[in-house]
Amino acid sequence: MSTDATFTYNGGKVEPGERQNLRYGISETYLGDPIRIPVTIINGEADGPTVFLSAAAHGDELNGIEVVREIAHEWDLSDLAGALVCLPVMNVPGFLAQQRYLPIYDRDLNRSFPGDEESTSAKRMAARIFDNFIAPCDFGLDFHTSTRGRTNMLHVRADMSDDEVARLAKAFGSNVIIDTEGSDGILRTEATRIGIPTVTIEMGEAHRFQRGLIDDALAGVASVFTEYGLGPEPGVRWPGWRTVIGDDSEKTWIRADAGGIVDMHHERGSLVHEGERICTLTNPFKDDNVSVTAPFTGLLVGVLENPVVYPGNPLCHLVELEDDVQQVVEREQSDHGDSG
C-alpha cells in the first residue's frame, strides 16, 4: 500500500502523518486474560512503501527486539516516505517465559504462519498477526538469532530465485546470504508467497543483547530504507565482500560424533582451511581428546557457545566460499584478525 491511504487493522487505523503505539490482542491466557503484543505503526506524510519489521517470533531471541525498538522510537522518522509496522515481540508468551516456543504445547509460532483463525492456538495467534500487520505491507525484515547455546554471524536468509526478495536481501548489505526458500509456516516464506518479499536476518545468540550485531543490523535497515526511498539515508551499503550460499554450494553442520566438553578454537565468522582443527572434544579427565577438523575450506557462519554436547549435537555451520571471495576474506582476517 501507499501512505496516501490510511493504514487499517481490525480495530483501528493510522492516518498519514500519525504514529500509534498499541498493545494488540492475539489470544487469551488460561484465566481468560488477553495476550497482547506491542505494535508501533508510523505512517509517514509522504508516499512510499509500507514495511514491517518483526522480531522475537521465538521468545528468547532478543537482539532483533532492540533493533526494532530503536528504529521505532529513536530514529528521526519525521520525513518518512512510507509506513513502518514495528513488531518487536511477536511471541509474547514465549518472551515472558524466556523460551523459544509458545509455552502452549511447545508450538513454534514461526512454523504457524499465515495462521488459521479456526485451528490451533499457535495458528490463531499467527493469523491475528499476519492478517492485521503483515498482509498490508509491501515487504518485510524478520529478525532472529541462533537457538540457545549457539551463535551466528550476521547474515540474511532469502529465496534468491525471487527477484524482489533478492533485491531486498542485497540491499541489507550483509556479507553472507543463505539462499533458501524456507519451510512451510515460516513468516518470510508465507509472506513471500502472497507477494510480500521478506527476508530473515540472523544475528548472534539467544538470551542477550549484542551491541555490535545490533548496530550492524541497524546499518542494514538504513541501507534498505535508502534502496526503497523511505528516507534520506547516506546510501545503500556495500559490505566489502558478499557470498550467496545456494543449494549448489558446499555447506554443512558439523556434528559431534562423541559426547563431551568442547574447546572451540575459532569464533563465528572465522575462515578455516581444509584439515584445520575447528574444535576439540574432551572428557572430564582430558585423556581422550578428539580433534574435529574442517572437511573443506570455508566460513564459520555459526558456532557452538554452550561447550557441552551429546553425540549428534551440532558444533558449527561451515559454508564454502568462491575463490575470489576467499582471497578477500583471507586478506581481511590477516589484517584485522578473525571477526567476532
Side-chain angles (χ1 to χ4, degrees):
M1 66 171 273
S2 296
T3 53
D4 54 0
T6 301
F7 184 94
T8 304
Y9 57 90
N10 185 11
K13 61 183 180 179
V14 185
E15 301 286 356
E18 292 184 350
R19 166 193 289 264
Q20 189 174 125
N21 295 325
L22 63 142
R23 296 180 185 270
Y24 193 79
I26 62 169
S27 189
E28 295 179 350
T29 70
Y30 294 131
L31 296 175
D33 297 323
I35 295 173
R36 299 187 177 101
I37 66 168
V39 184
T40 297
I41 302 167
I42 305 104
N43 198 349
E45 292 184 355
D47 188 27
T50 298
V51 185
F52 77 83
L53 306 173
S54 57
H58 296 131
D60 58 357
E61 298 182 359
L62 307 185
N63 276 327
I65 296 175
E66 191 62 9
V67 173
V68 177
R69 287 199 316 158
E70 288 197 24
I71 293 166
H73 303 292
E74 295 185 21
W75 281 20
D76 180 2
L77 299 172
S78 57
D79 294 326
L80 179 69
L84 285 183
V85 179
C86 298
L87 304 159
V89 185
M90 290 192 292
N91 183 352
V92 164
F95 175 76
L96 293 175
Q98 272 303 280
Q99 66 183 50
R100 180 177 177 84
Y101 300 128
L102 289 161
I104 306 163
Y105 306 115
D106 281 335
R107 301 276 186 178
D108 188 343
L109 183 62
N110 202 37
R111 294 297 185 276
S112 303
F113 293 103
D116 184 339
E117 288 276 11
E118 298 182 352
S119 185
T120 65
S121 54
K123 288 190 175 181
R124 292 181 186 216
M125 292 182 194
R128 291 283 183 92
I129 296 169
F130 197 90
D131 294 345
N132 286 284
F133 304 113
I134 305 301
C137 295
D138 295 307
F139 64 89
L141 304 173
D142 186 31
F143 292 90
H144 287 260
T145 76
S146 189
T147 191
R148 182 178 59 188
R150 302 202 296 267
T151 185
N152 285 328
M153 66 180 293
L154 186 140
H155 68 278
V156 172
R157 298 192 178 198
D159 180 3
M160 299 296 282
S161 67
D162 184 308
D163 290 344
E164 286 304 310
V165 173
R167 177 190 175 193
L168 178 58
K170 291 177 180 178
F172 188 80
S174 64
N175 291 122
V176 175
I177 299 172
I178 304 290
D179 179 8
T180 171
E181 183 178 345
S183 303
D184 291 345
I186 291 178
L187 178 55
R188 73 172 171 91
T189 304
E190 301 301 339
T192 299
R193 278 178 179 164
I194 64 168
I196 305 166
T198 301
V199 301
T200 296
I201 312 300
E202 292 279 352
M203 47 187 297
E205 59 188 289
H207 291 296
R208 65 193 63 212
F209 285 162
Q210 294 168 286
R211 190 69 244 175
L213 290 169
I214 291 166
D215 288 342
D216 200 4
L218 289 167
V221 177
S223 178
V224 169
F225 276 27
T226 300
E227 171 70 19
Y228 290 89
L230 281 107
E233 300 294 341
V236 178
R237 72 169 177 171
W238 167 246
W241 57 270
R242 174 186 290 140
T243 186
V244 178
I245 308 299
D247 289 337
D248 56 345
S249 302
E250 192 160 15
K251 55 183 181 292
T252 186
W253 272 101
I254 298 175
R255 296 181 177 273
D257 289 329
I261 300 168
V262 182
D263 183 8
M264 188 67 65
H265 304 302
H266 297 276
E267 297 178 338
R268 65 170 188 259
S270 297
L271 181 72
V272 294
H273 294 85
E274 182 176 354
E276 186 176 356
R277 186 174 61 169
I278 297 174
C279 62
T280 304
L281 291 175
T282 71
N283 65 24
F285 307 107
K286 288 197 169 186
D287 60 4
D288 189 23
N289 295 348
V290 177
S291 292
V292 177
T293 59
F296 55 85
T297 298
L299 192 71
L300 291 173
V301 172
V303 298
L304 190 72
E305 286 285 293
N306 184 354
V308 293
V309 291
Y310 280 111
N313 285 166
L315 296 167
C316 63
H317 186 194
L318 181 68
V319 301
E320 187 180 34
L321 299 177
E322 296 177 355
D323 289 343
D324 56 342
V325 174
Q326 180 181 321
Q327 292 171 10
V328 172
V329 176
E330 284 177 335
R331 287 198 300 270
E332 181 181 278
Q333 296 196 359
S334 65
D335 290 342
H336 304 292
D338 288 346
S339 61

